[in-house]
Amino acid sequence: MRTELYIDGKWVKPVGGGTCLVTNPATEETIQTIAAATAEDIDAAVKAARRAFDRDGWPKLTGAERAKYLRAIAEGIRARQSEIARLEVLDNGKPFSEAAWDVADAAGCFDFYAGLAEQLDNNPEEPIALADDRFTSKAVREAIGVAGAIIPWNYPLLMAAWKVAPALAAGCTVVLKPAELTSLTALELAAIADEAGLPPGVLNIVTGAGSVAGQAIIDHKGVDKLAFTGSGPVGSKIMAAAARDIKRVSLELGGKSPFVVFEDADIDQAVEWIMFGIFWNQGQVCSATSRVLVHEALYQRLLARLIEETGRIAIGNGLDEGVLLGPLVSKRQYEQVIAAIEAARNAGATVACGGIRPEGFDKGYFLRPTVLTDVPLDSDAWVEEIFGPVVCMRSFKTEEEAIELANSSRFGLAAAVMSKDDVRAERVAAAFRAGIVWINCSQPTFTEAPWGGYKESGIGRELGRWGLDNYLETKQITKYVTDKPWGWYIK
Ligand code: NAD
């Protein structure tokens, strides 16, 4: 297991000698000590990334050459899939089956962007038809430069892949800072990139506190682009830092996503997707459909079935066979979620199930999956992201009311609708003010499709070809093609 900083192709100790403790959220035991970078380490990482970009020619390689490294990284991840998934469970707490899924997805992400890197070679320039035939013009795409990528703890390796793979494919070099709570698999990614022979400085992975190492990345003048996934308040700081130097910026922030279920929906399917939409990854999912709106004709029956199925979810250490809900990621997160449930109760909501620590768990940040009803529309539980396995249920009478309730949020990351009437489902999908809309499901995520939010849920799109655009500039090259003098000053 690597615990140092990966800078300029070498494993180095942090200049200040600082460390962060890594805790297993299922046992509350410290399992590792990792390096805590300070501004000096970040400066070294950014300078290494600058050299790799400006001098050593990473962006000058063909897309096909860069793709070879990306495919080798994908292979390296796959070769260690089970070991990395185990590390993710120890670090984050998620069930092993989910971690294995994430790791496979991360490998797939590197393969996907290898394909897009190759396509950059086939289509390097776009001719532009000009009205003036004395000129020809073309647009070319070029890498932005050094990308500073900062990621959260809920999908540690996958979020690293979502940023590193498109950035490297585009020809950018990267300084990546994983969340201080969950850095172990990002360090494994550095080891895999190193084994894949990635040139020094192209990918630098630095661990440490957000307020120190993260802040040093966003403040560094040598960084051209900031790519961030995390909370809204930190997203605002990142945008403000980007504004100072006009850095490019993309933000993937939080949400309070609605799921509208109509009266013609199949109850079992609706219940399963509602559960997947809020209990997967312990509800620590930015796109979690945490506000569920069910037509009044179905509401009571669906609620009873949801409570019954929720009570059956196997809770435990993510390494144990059959577990579908692990602990929350940290003591702080656990306490915040418990406090949010308590505040909901005080605001008048009913805790229909869950809301407490499961029996038999005296250690670990375990919480029973929770269903809230009667949640006031102006309460924090309805309005703010809880980021835990807590769903707010509510009934509606008409489609108009459902759409209005769904869109009454300052967030707009995702939304879901379930109905057997395809015309209605498409109509509601079109009415949602959200960047990701699911029909008859909630949460399936595909590397090929754009991902990102409206409103306060973020700026820009990750994944698919949109993810590559995040790391590319567009250059216009215009040529004067006639021998005739221009004749403005000199007649
Ligand atoms: P966070 O914003 O606290 O931390 C995210 C990252 O930012 C961490 O690496 C942290 O160290 C770093 N950071 C903190 N302060 C910083 C600073 N001043 N300068 C630079 N970096 C700093 O968020 P979190 O607690 O890790 O994650 C939970 C939040 O992230 C939730 O609100 C969730 O909705 C959101 N999230 C969004 C998405 C998405 O795709 N939209 C995905 C996952 C999580």
Side-chain angles (χ1 to χ4, degrees), residues 149-155 159 162-163 177-181 208-218 228-235 237-238 251-255 284-287 332-333 336 385 387 413 436 451-453 457-458 462:
I150 298 178
I151 55 171
W153 42 255
N154 57 347
Y155 290 93
M159 289 298 112
W162 282 22
K163 301 217 170 356
K177 195 200 82 64
E180 46 274 58
L181 288 173
S211 55
V212 180
Q215 189 71 40
I217 292 175
I218 66 176
F228 174 72
T229 298
S231 63
V234 177
K237 281 188 194 168
I238 288 180
L251 305 173
E252 299 282 348
L253 308 174
Q284 300 164 136
V285 182
C286 51
S287 57
R332 183 167 163 255
Q333 189 66 16
Q336 278 179 3
E385 185 173 48
F387 226 56
L413 185 55
I436 304 147
W451 181 272
S457 290
E462 294 196 289

Side-chain angles (χ1 to χ4, degrees), residues 49 59 110 194 314 402 427 440 477:
F110 278 95
D194 194 67
R427 189 169 60 231
N440 295 338
I477 301 179

Side-chain angles (χ1 to χ4, degrees), residues 115-136:
L116 289 201
E118 287 160 349
Q119 282 177 29
L120 282 175
D121 292 340
N122 301 335
N123 200 3
E125 46 192 56
E126 191 183 321
I128 298 165
L130 299 178
D132 186 335
D133 63 6
R134 292 170 300 168
F135 298 89
T136 61

Side-chain angles (χ1 to χ4, degrees), residues 263-328:
E263 65 281 11
D264 59 354
D266 177 276
I267 261 203
D268 282 352
Q269 288 203 25
V271 166
E272 164 123 60
W273 284 114
I274 291 168
M275 292 169 73
F276 196 71
I278 188 66
F279 300 142
W280 167 256
N281 209 32
Q282 293 64 244
Q284 300 164 136
V285 182
C286 51
S287 57
T289 34
S290 50
R291 292 184 295 140
V292 176
L293 298 154
V294 183
H295 190 271
E296 60 179 2
L298 192 67
Y299 182 71
Q300 289 303 341
R301 274 188 300 142
L302 184 144
L303 184 63
R305 189 91 178 81
L306 176 67
I307 291 169
E308 185 191 335
E309 287 300 330
T310 297
R312 292 206 179 107
I313 295 177
I315 305 173
N317 186 319
L319 291 178
D320 293 344
E321 191 73 28
V323 161
L324 287 176
L325 194 92
L328 297 180

Side-chain angles (χ1 to χ4, degrees), residues 115-231:
L116 289 201
E118 287 160 349
Q119 282 177 29
L120 282 175
D121 292 340
N122 301 335
N123 200 3
E125 46 192 56
E126 191 183 321
I128 298 165
L130 299 178
D132 186 335
D133 63 6
R134 292 170 300 168
F135 298 89
T136 61
S137 190
K138 63 186 178 189
V140 296
R141 316 286 328 265
E142 293 183 346
I144 288 177
V146 172
I150 298 178
I151 55 171
W153 42 255
N154 57 347
Y155 290 93
L157 183 71
L158 192 58
M159 289 298 112
W162 282 22
K163 301 217 170 356
V164 172
L168 297 189
C172 287
T173 56
V174 177
V175 176
L176 172 83
K177 195 200 82 64
E180 46 274 58
L181 288 173
T182 56
S183 296
L184 298 181
T185 52
L187 292 171
E188 288 309 302
L189 177 64
I192 288 167
D194 194 67
E195 280 159 28
L198 197 69
V202 169
L203 174 63
N204 305 275
I205 298 197
V206 285
T207 52
S211 55
V212 180
Q215 189 71 40
I217 292 175
I218 66 176
D219 287 341
H220 203 295
K221 298 243 179 247
V223 173
D224 302 294
K225 148 92 193 183
L226 296 174
F228 174 72
T229 298
S231 63

Side-chain angles (χ1 to χ4, degrees), residues 69 76 79 104 111 199 241 248 258 261-262 283 295 322 335 399 411 422 443:
Y69 291 107
D111 274 336
R248 277 73 187 128
V261 181
F262 283 98
H295 190 271
E335 286 171 354
E399 183 178 317
F411 299 112
D422 197 46
Q443 306 305 315

